[in-house]
Amino acid sequence: MCAHTHICVKAMLEKLAKQTAIYGISTILGRMLSYLLTPFYTRIFGVESYGIITDVYALIPFALVVLTMGMESSYFRFAAKAEAEGGDIEKSKRKLFATTWGITSLAAVLFFVVVVLFRNEVSALMGEAYVANPLYVVTVAAIVMADVTMCLPFSRLREQGRALTFVSLKLLNILLQVGMAVAFWGVGLFDTEFGVGWAFVANLVASMVTLVAVVVASGRVSLRIDWALLLVIFGYSLPLLLSGVAGTAGEFLDRQLIKYLVPTESMAQLGIYGAITKIAVVLTLFTQMYRLAAEPFFLANYRKEEFVAMNAAALKYYIMVSMALFLGIALYRDAFALIVGRSFREGIDILPVVLGANVLSGVWLNLSFWYKREEKTQFALWVTLAGVAASAGFGLLLIPQLGYYGAAWSRFAAEVVMVAISIVLNRIYYPTPYAFGRMAEYVVLALALFFVAECVEVESVVLRYTLSTVMLVIYLVYAVWREKIDVKSFVKHILRRG
């Protein structure tokens, strides 16, 4: 790599780190508030009622992916192309936004109307708990409609670099949802016949208010679809849509298999599984905040040499940080188990497996940027279909016998398959100098420290947590030394304005 490229890559990675920190602080604050609902709900509802919440919130992302049709990534990519082509850039971006927002909003409204008209049939498909309360299904459909409609306006804020507005509106949504949930509990609504449905109502109120706010904030643009432009966009987004459908199917498939394959108390097992996966909040947050910053960053118009170098370095640092977070949660999982209600804690031993799957999910995210940039989005479909097949295959094999333990391992296996195929595709079509040796060091070291802490039998809680802390510090010191990181200067750069 030439000196000029090295300097450019370093500057761009610093920019990515700063953007990740900006989105990260907001995401952490917001999600921490949101995840307060986990200890709240797991102490109000039993494992079966919480299983309904787990079921619904596994299906919502699937609906969002289908109805947004890959338009988020398309919006970022075509906005960057508009800047590269020149001319009236603002006019081109407005037309792009009006088209992508228009088609997703239309899809959202049609979805809601169909669900309302066939609510009894949909309820029957989802299970006995929904047949008794078809209004659950209608309320959730309204949440999906609102969330899909606000998706592109939020993307526009990200594309425009309006991180503070983005952050404020996301926090507004979460504060409203948490506040409404607590208020409903305070007046005893969760004890009524509608019960857990009031959790969905709290979400709906928050989503509707946020929708109005983000539409105002994103600027006045008419919902006017340019059908010729839409056809071009669909050429890019269709593989992303199909891969997104397959990807989210993999995300919720484990939960659905629990519901339909576990012979007894399936909703209770689903509730426990959903609660334990929520405990992986810190690692999930890191992946989410990284995605928010990295997606528009890597889809901008960088030279290939700079993109390749940045992507390789970004994956290395992602692995380094995510394995630190893995240790920080897995070593103290008994303490993290206190987040959920007592009846949910029996499943805490699956947490390291769930964390490992989350780490691999972020690796796959990094490995997907090159084919999105090169507009070879059909590769996304191949990878995610392989992941779904692995999840289904291992799930069918393991879940009937092992319950939620089998679900955790099937999800992990699916992520392994997706990462492996992504690496092979990258080596064939877009060779990138990923530092596999260095990344393997961090993974092996973290796992070795974890197993040492697990194998040493210590009766005292204080001594056990002391040992865990020593293991974590060893990893952090090694990573800082290995990468020659000036921690003080790095923190100053992140906090610096501009």
Side-chain angles (χ1 to χ4, degrees):
M1 188 189 308
C2 68
H4 173 72
T5 300
H6 178 78
I7 293 171
C8 289
V9 168
K10 182 180 179 181
M12 291 302 177
L13 285 173
E14 288 176 346
K15 178 182 176 182
L16 175 59
K18 187 168 185 176
Q19 286 292 306
T20 302
I22 291 171
Y23 284 114
I25 292 169
S26 66
T27 303
I28 288 171
L29 289 174
R31 290 294 183 179
M32 284 299 183
L33 288 170
S34 176
Y35 279 105
L36 287 176
L37 292 175
T38 299
F40 182 64
Y41 285 150
T42 56
R43 285 167 173 81
I44 292 175
F45 301 119
V47 288
E48 291 190 1
S49 293
Y50 192 75
I52 296 173
I53 292 178
T54 299
D55 188 28
V56 164
Y57 284 103
L59 291 170
I60 285 177
F62 180 74
L64 295 182
V65 167
V66 173
L67 297 172
T68 54
M69 298 174 282
M71 290 295 158
E72 275 191 292
S73 293
S74 299
Y75 177 72
F76 292 132
R77 185 58 186 150
F78 281 84
K81 291 178 73 172
E83 291 182 354
E85 291 170 1
D88 192 338
I89 297 173
E90 288 304 313
K91 181 179 179 181
S92 297
K93 285 187 177 182
R94 282 196 301 272
K95 183 168 71 172
L96 172 65
F97 176 66
T99 298
T100 52
W101 187 28
I103 193 64
T104 52
S105 298
L106 177 61
V109 172
L110 291 175
F111 168 81
F112 178 71
V113 170
V114 169
V115 171
V116 170
L117 292 176
F118 297 96
R119 57 190 176 278
N120 293 325
E121 290 80 0
V122 174
S123 299
L125 288 173
M126 293 187 66
E128 293 181 6
Y130 305 94
V131 173
N133 288 283
L135 195 53
Y136 287 177
V137 171
V138 174
T139 307
V140 172
I143 293 170
V144 170
M145 179 177 65
D147 287 355
V148 171
T149 306
M150 73 173 81
C151 182
L152 265 296
F154 269 118
S155 296
R156 193 178 196 210
L157 295 179
R158 288 167 61 196
E159 187 271 327
Q160 293 174 339
R162 297 169 61 188
L164 183 59
T165 304
F166 179 95
V167 167
S168 300
L169 294 177
K170 288 291 186 180
L171 287 175
L172 171 66
N173 180 277
I174 294 162
L175 285 169
L176 284 171
Q177 186 174 349
V178 173
M180 294 294 294
V182 173
F184 290 164
W185 168 72
V187 298
L189 292 179
F190 289 129
D191 295 324
T192 64
E193 185 179 351
F194 195 54
V196 73
W198 288 105
F200 307 140
V201 174
N203 190 338
L204 176 59
V205 172
S207 292
M208 295 303 294
V209 172
T210 307
L211 171 60
V212 173
V214 74
V215 168
V216 172
S218 62
R220 296 181 179 179
V221 177
S222 301
L223 287 172
R224 185 174 301 171
I225 300 173
D226 185 313
W227 295 100
L229 175 61
L230 183 61
L231 287 175
V232 176
I233 294 172
F234 261 129
Y236 177 84
S237 70
L238 184 58
L240 291 178
L241 166 61
L242 296 175
S243 67
V245 168
T248 51
E251 288 291 324
F252 80 79
L253 187 59
D254 50 359
R255 292 158 174 81
Q256 297 304 301
L257 289 178
I258 291 174
K259 186 167 73 170
Y260 292 111
L261 294 182
V262 174
T264 59
E265 298 182 337
S266 59
M267 292 306 289
Q269 290 222 22
L270 182 58
I272 293 170
Y273 183 69
I276 297 302
T277 56
K278 286 285 189 179
I279 296 177
V281 53
V282 177
L283 189 47
T284 305
L285 290 176
F286 174 65
T287 303
Q288 287 175 340
M289 72 188 196
Y290 179 77
R291 182 186 66 81
L292 288 173
E295 190 169 46
F297 177 83
F298 280 117
L299 294 183
N301 283 303
Y302 296 118
R303 290 186 300 137
K304 180 177 179 179
E305 184 181 4
E306 292 174 350
F307 170 83
V308 166
M310 287 187 296
N311 190 231
L315 180 56
K316 179 186 69 174
Y317 288 117
Y318 171 83
I319 290 288
M320 182 188 75
V321 175
S322 61
M323 291 310 296
L325 294 173
F326 168 86
L327 281 177
I329 302 171
L331 290 174
Y332 303 94
R333 64 184 181 278
D334 289 343
F336 279 95
L338 299 176
I339 292 173
V340 299
R342 188 180 300 276
S343 56
F344 294 83
R345 295 172 195 167
E346 65 178 64
I348 195 62
D349 286 338
I350 68 170
L351 184 58
V353 182
V354 173
L355 291 170
N358 287 346
V359 171
L360 291 170
S361 178
V363 173
W364 178 77
L365 173 68
N366 272 278
L367 293 170
S368 72
F369 289 131
W370 72 266
Y371 53 71
K372 289 181 180 178
R373 168 191 164 87
E374 296 298 306
E375 301 183 12
K376 297 182 182 295
T377 49
Q378 68 272 16
F379 290 138
L381 180 59
W382 299 357
V383 173
T384 48
L385 284 176
V388 171
S391 181
F394 282 100
L396 290 169
L397 180 66
L398 299 175
I399 291 174
Q401 287 75 35
L402 301 178
Y404 56 76
Y405 282 87
W409 279 109
S410 67
R411 180 181 174 190
F412 180 84
E415 296 292 350
V416 170
V417 169
M418 292 170 68
V419 168
I421 294 176
S422 295
I423 291 173
V424 171
L425 289 174
N426 178 266
R427 301 298 288 176
I428 295 173
Y429 295 102
Y430 202 85
T432 302
Y434 293 116
F436 289 113
R438 183 71 60 85
M439 291 186 287
E441 286 181 30
Y442 295 129
V443 173
V444 171
L445 176 61
L447 292 178
L449 293 171
F450 172 73
F451 285 117
V452 167
E454 288 293 295
C455 292
V456 175
E457 294 186 7
V458 181
E459 294 296 330
S460 169
V461 174
V462 173
L463 289 178
R464 186 167 70 250
Y465 286 153
T466 300
L467 176 62
S468 296
T469 302
V470 170
M471 297 296 102
L472 180 58
V473 169
I474 289 173
Y475 177 87
L476 294 174
V477 170
Y478 178 83
V480 170
W481 169 80
R482 194 73 172 88
E483 298 298 328
K484 299 179 174 60
I485 298 173
D486 185 338
V487 177
K488 185 176 180 180
S489 297
F490 180 77
V491 172
K492 283 184 177 180
H493 175 80
I494 294 296
L495 297 177
R496 190 187 310 142
R497 293 187 177 184

Coordinates of all heavy atoms in Angstrom, one line a residue, residues 5-33:
T5 N -2.1 6.3 0.1 CA -3.3 5.5 0.4 C -3.4 5.2 1.9 O -4.4 5.2 2.5 CB -3.3 4.2 -0.4 OG1 -3.3 4.5 -1.8 CG2 -4.5 3.3 -0.1
H6 N -2.2 4.9 2.5 CA -2.2 4.6 3.9 C -2.7 5.7 4.8 O -3.5 5.5 5.7 CB -0.7 4.2 4.3 CG -0.6 3.9 5.8 ND1 -1.0 2.7 6.3 CD2 -0.2 4.7 6.8 CE1 -0.7 2.7 7.6 NE2 -0.3 3.9 8.0
I7 N -2.3 6.9 4.4 CA -2.7 8.1 5.1 C -4.2 8.3 5.0 O -5.0 8.6 5.9 CB -2.0 9.4 4.7 CG1 -0.5 9.3 5.1 CG2 -2.6 10.6 5.2 CD1 0.4 10.4 4.4
C8 N -4.7 8.1 3.7 CA -6.2 8.3 3.5 C -7.0 7.2 4.2 O -8.0 7.5 4.8 CB -6.4 8.1 2.0 SG -5.9 9.5 1.0
V9 N -6.5 6.0 4.2 CA -7.2 4.9 4.9 C -7.2 5.2 6.4 O -8.3 5.0 7.1 CB -6.5 3.6 4.6 CG1 -7.0 2.5 5.6 CG2 -6.7 3.1 3.2
K10 N -6.1 5.7 7.0 CA -6.1 6.0 8.4 C -7.1 7.1 8.7 O -7.9 6.9 9.7 CB -4.7 6.4 8.8 CG -4.6 6.7 10.3 CD -3.2 7.1 10.7 CE -3.1 7.4 12.2 NZ -1.7 7.9 12.6
A11 N -7.2 8.1 7.9 CA -8.1 9.2 8.2 C -9.5 8.7 8.0 O -10.4 9.1 8.8 CB -7.8 10.3 7.2
M12 N -9.8 7.9 7.0 CA -11.2 7.4 6.8 C -11.6 6.5 8.0 O -12.7 6.5 8.4 CB -11.3 6.7 5.5 CG -11.2 7.6 4.3 SD -12.4 8.9 4.3 CE -11.9 9.9 2.9
L13 N -10.7 5.6 8.4 CA -11.0 4.7 9.5 C -11.3 5.5 10.8 O -12.1 5.2 11.6 CB -9.9 3.7 9.8 CG -9.7 2.6 8.8 CD1 -8.5 1.8 9.0 CD2 -11.0 1.7 8.8
E14 N -10.5 6.6 11.0 CA -10.8 7.5 12.2 C -12.2 8.1 12.0 O -12.9 8.2 13.0 CB -9.7 8.6 12.3 CG -8.4 8.1 12.7 CD -7.3 9.2 12.7 OE1 -7.6 10.3 12.1 OE2 -6.3 9.0 13.3
K15 N -12.6 8.5 10.8 CA -13.9 9.0 10.6 C -15.0 7.9 10.9 O -16.0 8.2 11.5 CB -14.0 9.4 9.1 CG -15.4 10.0 8.7 CD -15.5 10.4 7.3 CE -16.9 10.8 6.9 NZ -17.0 11.1 5.4
L16 N -14.7 6.7 10.4 CA -15.6 5.6 10.7 C -15.8 5.4 12.2 O -16.9 5.1 12.7 CB -15.2 4.3 10.0 CG -16.0 3.0 10.3 CD1 -17.5 3.2 9.8 CD2 -15.4 1.9 9.5
A17 N -14.6 5.4 12.9 CA -14.7 5.2 14.3 C -15.5 6.3 15.0 O -16.3 6.0 15.9 CB -13.2 5.2 14.9
K18 N -15.3 7.5 14.5 CA -16.1 8.6 15.1 C -17.6 8.5 14.9 O -18.4 8.7 15.7 CB -15.6 9.9 14.6 CG -16.2 11.2 15.3 CD -15.4 12.4 15.0 CE -15.9 13.6 15.8 NZ -15.2 14.8 15.5
Q19 N -17.9 8.1 13.6 CA -19.3 7.9 13.3 C -19.9 6.8 14.1 O -21.1 6.8 14.6 CB -19.5 7.7 11.8 CG -19.3 8.9 10.9 CD -20.4 9.9 11.1 OE1 -21.6 9.6 11.0 NE2 -20.0 11.1 11.4
T20 N -19.1 5.7 14.2 CA -19.6 4.6 15.0 C -19.8 5.0 16.5 O -20.8 4.6 17.1 CB -18.6 3.4 15.0 OG1 -18.4 3.0 13.6 CG2 -19.1 2.2 15.8
A21 N -18.9 5.8 17.0 CA -19.1 6.3 18.4 C -20.3 7.2 18.5 O -21.1 7.1 19.5 CB -17.9 7.1 18.8
I22 N -20.6 8.1 17.5 CA -21.8 8.9 17.6 C -23.0 8.1 17.6 O -23.9 8.3 18.5 CB -21.8 9.9 16.4 CG1 -20.6 10.9 16.5 CG2 -23.1 10.6 16.3 CD1 -20.4 11.8 15.3
Y23 N -23.1 7.2 16.6 CA -24.3 6.4 16.6 C -24.3 5.4 17.7 O -25.4 5.0 18.3 CB -24.4 5.6 15.3 CG -24.8 6.4 14.1 CD1 -23.9 6.6 13.0 CD2 -26.1 6.9 14.0 CE1 -24.3 7.4 11.9 CE2 -26.5 7.7 12.9 CZ -25.6 7.9 11.9 OH -25.9 8.6 10.8
G24 N -23.1 5.0 18.2 CA -23.0 4.0 19.3 C -23.5 4.6 20.6 O -24.3 3.9 21.3
I25 N -23.2 5.8 20.9 CA -23.6 6.4 22.2 C -25.1 6.5 22.2 O -25.8 6.1 23.2 CB -23.0 7.8 22.4 CG1 -21.5 7.7 22.6 CG2 -23.6 8.5 23.6 CD1 -20.7 9.0 22.6
S26 N -25.7 6.9 21.1 CA -27.1 7.1 21.0 C -27.8 5.7 21.1 O -28.8 5.5 21.7 CB -27.5 7.8 19.8 OG -27.2 7.0 18.6
T27 N -27.2 4.7 20.3 CA -27.8 3.4 20.3 C -27.7 2.8 21.7 O -28.7 2.1 22.1 CB -27.0 2.5 19.3 OG1 -27.1 3.2 18.0 CG2 -27.7 1.2 19.2
I28 N -26.6 2.9 22.4 CA -26.4 2.3 23.7 C -27.5 2.9 24.6 O -28.2 2.2 25.4 CB -25.0 2.5 24.2 CG1 -24.1 1.6 23.4 CG2 -24.9 2.2 25.7 CD1 -22.6 1.9 23.7
L29 N -27.6 4.3 24.6 CA -28.5 4.9 25.5 C -29.9 4.5 25.2 O -30.7 4.1 26.1 CB -28.4 6.4 25.4 CG -27.1 7.1 26.0 CD1 -27.1 8.6 25.6 CD2 -27.1 6.9 27.5
G30 N -30.3 4.5 23.9 CA -31.6 4.1 23.5 C -31.9 2.7 23.8 O -33.0 2.3 24.4
R31 N -31.0 1.8 23.4 CA -31.3 0.4 23.6 C -31.3 0.0 25.1 O -32.0 -0.9 25.5 CB -30.3 -0.5 22.8 CG -30.4 -0.4 21.3 CD -31.7 -1.0 20.9 NE -31.9 -1.0 19.4 CZ -32.9 -1.5 18.8 NH1 -33.9 -2.0 19.4 NH2 -32.9 -1.4 17.4
M32 N -30.4 0.6 25.8 CA -30.5 0.4 27.3 C -31.8 0.7 27.9 O -32.4 -0.1 28.7 CB -29.4 1.2 28.0 CG -28.0 0.6 27.8 SD -27.8 -1.1 28.5 CE -26.1 -1.4 28.2
L33 N -32.4 1.8 27.4 CA -33.8 2.1 27.9 C -34.7 1.1 27.4 O -35.6 0.6 28.1 CB -34.2 3.5 27.3 CG -33.5 4.7 28.0 CD1 -33.8 6.0 27.2 CD2 -33.9 4.9 29.5

